[in-house]
Amino acid sequence: MTSEVESDSELPAYATTPRPRRVKRIRLALLVSSFAACVSVTLMGYVFLGLMELAFGILGWGGLAVGQTGFLSGVQTGLQLAALNFFLFFITVPAAALALGLSIGRLPHRGITALMPYLRWGAVWGAIIVGGTTCVFGWFGGAAAAAGALVSGAAIGGVAGAFCGFLLHRIVAPAKQLTEMDLSVF
């Protein structure tokens, strides 16, 4: 009897008590969020790569830094990899669905209904996945290029992950599902 009272007091302020009932629309939210992750990483990669090329043109620094070493060439490599993310959708969409399912997809089952944990953990895992991938390919240009690829990939992945956390929270609507009473007979 006291363990139930203790478990209620141990929950964070943004969580409700976990309920044993099934949370609906998790699979749909994971599928939509993983497609949104793939598309948003690609779009941000193209936009930021275009802005970087525009800045290089205005400053008169030349074009693409392919095969060069340095921080800016790593940033450019990370942006190029992010821009080409959609062409490997058969790998990136399942990877994003798996990462989202094992991280923020578990939050509704734990009774977490606030939006901020979904945004925060989506951004963290997006930055880890995209930043880690771009950093691995950035190592071909050296340590400085890997650092640049890590920074650009993590920035894009963080924004895309936060967007995916927002989508998952809106589709699942955990506050509504966990607090409404089910009065159906069948």
Side-chain angles (χ1 to χ4, degrees):
M1 195 160 145
T2 59
S3 64
E4 186 175 72
V5 173
E6 291 173 1
S7 67
D8 288 339
S9 64
E10 293 175 11
L11 289 173
Y14 53 80
T16 60
T17 56
R19 290 180 172 77
R21 59 183 284 208
R22 182 174 169 260
V23 179
K24 302 173 187 172
R25 298 189 302 263
I26 291 285
R27 290 185 188 123
L28 171 68
L30 289 175
L31 181 69
V32 170
S33 295
S34 61
F35 277 118
C38 183
V39 170
S40 63
V41 165
T42 301
L43 290 176
M44 282 189 284
Y46 277 123
V47 168
F48 292 141
L49 186 62
L51 290 174
M52 187 174 189
E53 291 301 316
L54 180 66
F56 280 1
I58 290 172
L59 296 174
W61 285 357
L64 294 174
V66 177
Q68 297 177 1
T69 60
F71 187 79
L72 284 179
S73 70
V75 169
Q76 206 167 30
T77 301
L79 293 176
Q80 290 169 352
L81 288 170
L84 297 173
N85 184 41
F86 188 73
F87 294 109
L88 295 173
F89 71 92
F90 52 88
I91 296 171
T92 58
V93 170
L98 181 67
L100 290 172
L102 294 175
S103 59
I104 62 176
R106 302 295 309 153
L107 295 180
H109 296 288
R110 294 181 181 161
I112 297 174
T113 58
L115 177 62
M116 286 309 292
Y118 290 86
L119 296 178
R120 179 177 48 246
W121 287 108
V124 166
W125 282 105
I128 289 172
I129 291 172
V130 179
T133 305
T134 57
C135 181
V136 166
F137 285 102
W139 273 110
F140 293 119
L150 175 68
V151 168
S152 64
I156 289 175
V159 173
F163 177 64
C164 291
F166 174 77
L167 278 178
L168 190 130
H169 185 267
R170 290 296 173 219
I171 292 172
V172 173
K176 183 179 177 186
Q177 284 194 43
L178 296 175
T179 56
E180 70 182 10
M181 295 181 60
D182 187 18
L183 299 175
S184 65
V185 181
F186 298 102

